[in-house]
Amino acid sequence: MKVIDMYDAPHTGRTVTSNDIKISARNVNVFYGDNHAIKDVSVDIEDKMVTAFIGPSGCGKSTFLRCLNRMNDTIESSRIEGTICIDDEDIYDRRVDPVQLRAKVGMVFQKPNPFPKSIYDNVAYGPKIHGMARNKAELDEIVEKALRRGAIWDEVKDRLHAPGTGLSGGQQQRLCIARAVATEPEVLLMDEPCSALDPIATAQVEELIDELRQDYSVVIVTHSMQQAARVSQKTAFFHLGNLVEYGETGKIFTNPEDSRTEAYITGRIG
Amino acid sequence: MTDASTNSAPAARKGASLHRTDPRTRRRNGAERRFRLYGAAAISMGLLFLCVLAVSIIRSGAPAFTHAVVEVEFTLSEAQFEEAESQLLKTAVYERYFNAALTAQLRDAGFDVAFDENTIRRIIGKTGGTIRSYYRADPDRVGESVTLDLPVSSRVNGYIKGRVTRENLLDSRFLTQADLDLVDAMRDRGLIETKFNWGFLTGKDSGVDNPGGAGIGASVVGSFFMMLVVLVLSLPIGVAASIYLEEFAPRNWFTDMIEVNISNLAAVPSIVFGILGLAVFIQFMHLPQSAPLVGGLVLTLMTLPTIIISTRASLKAVPPSIRDAALGVGASKMQSVFHHVLPLAMPGILTGTIIGLAQALGETAPLLLIGMVGFVARQYPDGVVDGFLDPNSAMPAQIYTWASRADPAFYEKAWGGIIVLLVFLLAMNIVAIILRRRFERRW
Ligand SMILES: Nc1ncnc2c1ncn2[C@@H]1O[C@H](COP(=O)(O)OP(=O)(O)OP(=O)(O)O)[C@@H](O)[C@H]1O
Ligand SMILES: [Mg+2]
């Protein structure tokens, strides 16, 4: 149990909830070369909650998300300033191995990117390299559980050894979700996971997110206001690299403080 | 934007019938048709040249694979064998027996052409040595009636294949017009026959005066050991270097410089590598001259840039999202490269490697500089170590040596050698295609 510090107060003014802070970012700036993509963002993401990032295209949602598991390290031109702590440990500390971090902070990417391997191998890869299964039976179990949570088990259970890239776009995305949850991360970052899904699959994924919330902290980027409203407890609105407003979802959507948030939600900017 | 044509064009199109192609579409379709035509023409030209090349190579080279042989029935008695072996000039005795046997055989067949021992010698050369080694290799043959296949001399061979004609033959100590009468008569009675020349495939290089005995086998072995060196060195070094440069090395002026230099190296003439090899491997490191090991080292230097460039290109072609996916589930950089990127790049890497090896297999100039000239291919190596260290030649150097000899019979051998070389290249390409198929699992 932690007391939410004053960083939240000016944004939300909400009451203190009973959740721990999982991720806390302080004065984060991200540059791509000269392009200042994230401007002085400070945010606390709580454990066992779904946090939604919304905002117009190009405002830096994906960039900020990728900072949370240091995927931006792989982009040569990118540079980050400020601190991001997960469980009070600075993830940009010299002692932190990004590989270990990424096992803890899973990610689903904006574009579905299954490995050009079988469906089974796609899901089994993470557990395998992390030594999560002692034998084939255990691995089978992990794979099935992950595929079920990814809401794709029924569609692929008869062709687990068919190529993952042979699935439809929506199925591929759900496979990627299954792959991400198979490694049992503590935080799951999802970059527009439903942009290629039909309403049924979307509903399934949203159900999954809700279920994951029991154990994990989930951060989801979405362009759908309805989705943000449905699945998230907290919402952050980004605009031109700034975190404009962060607070409880209900409040952001019904009674935003900033005029830009209101304009975006009502469809006037974006 | 205010340009009248851009403004009027959409207006004109509006409401126009789809059943009538407008002029703009017709122009575009015309351009496309012409482009296809150019492409088809270019391909046909290429195919035509390829056909011409293939036909001329096969026509010039095929004769090297056959030779005319004289079939002689011959029996050497125990007494004759012992007598011959007790003499000082043993081969001369064998030759005398043989000539007597052949003469008798020709007489029996009712030959009315005049000939003597010199004629026989001009047609099938000195036979004593061949016959002696035939019996000494297997003494059980003594006393049995055997049929000897003795290759005719290279000039007679040329006459039978049509390279030498009566019109352009001047009587010399090698061959006279009268000899050809006997040759014709023997051919009529089936005593001279054209057979497949296994000796060309299994043999070694011969002296300049014996084109008939020259074979490419020893240099094939030389090429084989050289390619082994090239493959074992350049594939791992090249692939490891590319993976490091492409996936791990930081991008800065130093790696940029390395990249530029690798591209430059790929364009350096091979003879430069040859002289480098001579200076470094032979003069400085004192490795043996003419050894396939040194040849392989020189060709490795030459092949590395090709392999590195093609490997890097195929690594680059792997979509970055695959790397992200692997890193995203917590794979290390190395795991992401070796589990996901490398398998996807494998077909391209293999293609590049085989192209590099094929280039190396056909390379002549650097080999000449380190002494792997054709005429050193005089014997087969005794073992694997000797295969790397004993002086030997390689196929292209052997071909070059034959082509530069005066006797036109060697020219034919050179063409034949080219066919053998091309068969090897073809085989390598087929291996490449098979390997690529295996790795290229289309998902
Ligand atoms: N790899 C990159 N290299 C350089 N600039 C980048 C890179 N990725 C993103 N940017 C820049 O950073 C800014 C933020 O991009 P980001 O991808 O985070 O936007 P986003 O909010 O996710 O947009 P969308 O909703 O369209 O996905 C943009 O101006 C973009 O041009
Ligand atoms: Mg994005």
Side-chain angles (χ1 to χ4, degrees), chain A:
Chain A
M1 196 82 69
K2 281 184 83 180
V3 178
I4 302 300
D5 64 28
M6 51 179 290
Y7 277 96
D8 285 322
H11 293 303
T12 62
R14 71 197 156 82
T15 50
V16 173
T17 59
S18 59
N19 274 312
D20 287 339
I21 306 287
K22 185 74 181 172
I23 305 173
S24 115
R26 289 288 169 274
N27 308 99
V28 174
N29 284 287
V30 181
F31 303 85
Y32 291 111
D34 293 335
N35 180 3
H36 196 168
I38 293 287
K39 294 166 191 156
D40 207 28
V41 168
S42 298
V43 67
D44 283 317
I45 291 166
E46 289 166 40
D47 202 7
K48 304 200 189 343
M49 273 220 185
V50 179
T51 307
F53 288 177
I54 59 169
S57 186
C59 67
K61 306 180 295 293
S62 300
T63 301
F64 188 68
L65 201 67
R66 290 168 64 91
C67 289
L68 299 182
N69 68 346
R70 293 187 59 174
M71 280 302 286
N72 263 6
D73 290 13
T74 59
I75 299 172
E76 212 123 339
S77 63
S78 77
R79 190 159 52 80
I80 177 166
E81 287 168 6
T83 52
I84 299 177
C85 293
I86 293 186
D87 293 333
D88 292 325
E89 287 174 337
D90 184 0
I91 61 169
Y92 283 90
D93 191 278
R94 299 163 61 86
R95 283 166 299 179
V96 171
D97 184 357
V99 173
Q100 218 173 323
L101 169 71
R102 287 180 203 131
K104 192 165 162 166
V105 185
M107 182 155 196
V108 177
F109 294 85
Q110 193 161 354
K111 272 182 275 173
N113 55 354
F115 299 128
K117 293 180 190 281
S118 72
I119 293 169
Y120 182 93
D121 288 340
N122 259 284
V123 181
Y125 181 68
K128 255 190 218 161
I129 59 173
H130 297 304
M132 289 168 63
R134 265 167 298 154
N135 51 42
K136 179 89 171 64
E138 272 187 27
L139 194 62
D140 287 350
E141 210 172 287
I142 291 175
V143 169
E144 177 175 345
K145 186 170 159 222
L147 287 170
R148 279 190 194 284
R149 294 171 91 179
I152 192 181
W153 172 253
D154 290 331
E155 282 151 83
V156 299
K157 62 170 184 271
D158 301 323
R159 44 170 177 153
L160 286 178
H161 296 282
T165 40
L167 298 170
S168 78
Q171 289 172 325
Q172 286 186 17
Q173 187 62 297
R174 277 178 286 152
L175 177 62
C176 292
I177 294 172
R179 181 177 67 189
V181 298
T183 51
E184 303 281 346
E186 293 173 27
V187 179
L188 190 61
L189 310 175
M190 303 174 113
D191 198 344
E192 297 182 41
C194 300
S195 56
L197 301 190
D198 66 10
I200 299 166
T202 304
Q204 285 168 329
V205 170
E206 286 176 8
E207 211 170 290
L208 163 73
I209 293 171
D210 210 49
E211 186 195 314
L212 291 173
R213 182 164 73 91
Q214 310 304 317
D215 307 311
Y216 311 130
S217 147
V218 180
V219 183
I220 176 171
V221 171
T222 177
H223 278 285
S224 154
M225 305 298 154
Q226 290 86 346
Q227 183 170 54
R230 278 195 304 266
V231 300
S232 70
Q233 284 74 51
K234 302 203 94 180
T235 299
F237 172 63
F238 287 81
H239 186 242
L240 299 178
N242 297 300
L243 176 64
V244 174
E245 194 166 347
Y246 176 54
E248 280 178 37
T249 302
K251 181 160 183 308
I252 295 260
F253 280 99
T254 52
N255 189 16
E257 277 177 7
D258 198 285
S259 58
R260 286 170 292 178
T261 317
E262 192 185 352
Y264 180 71
I265 288 166
T266 53
R268 276 181 284 130
I269 57 169

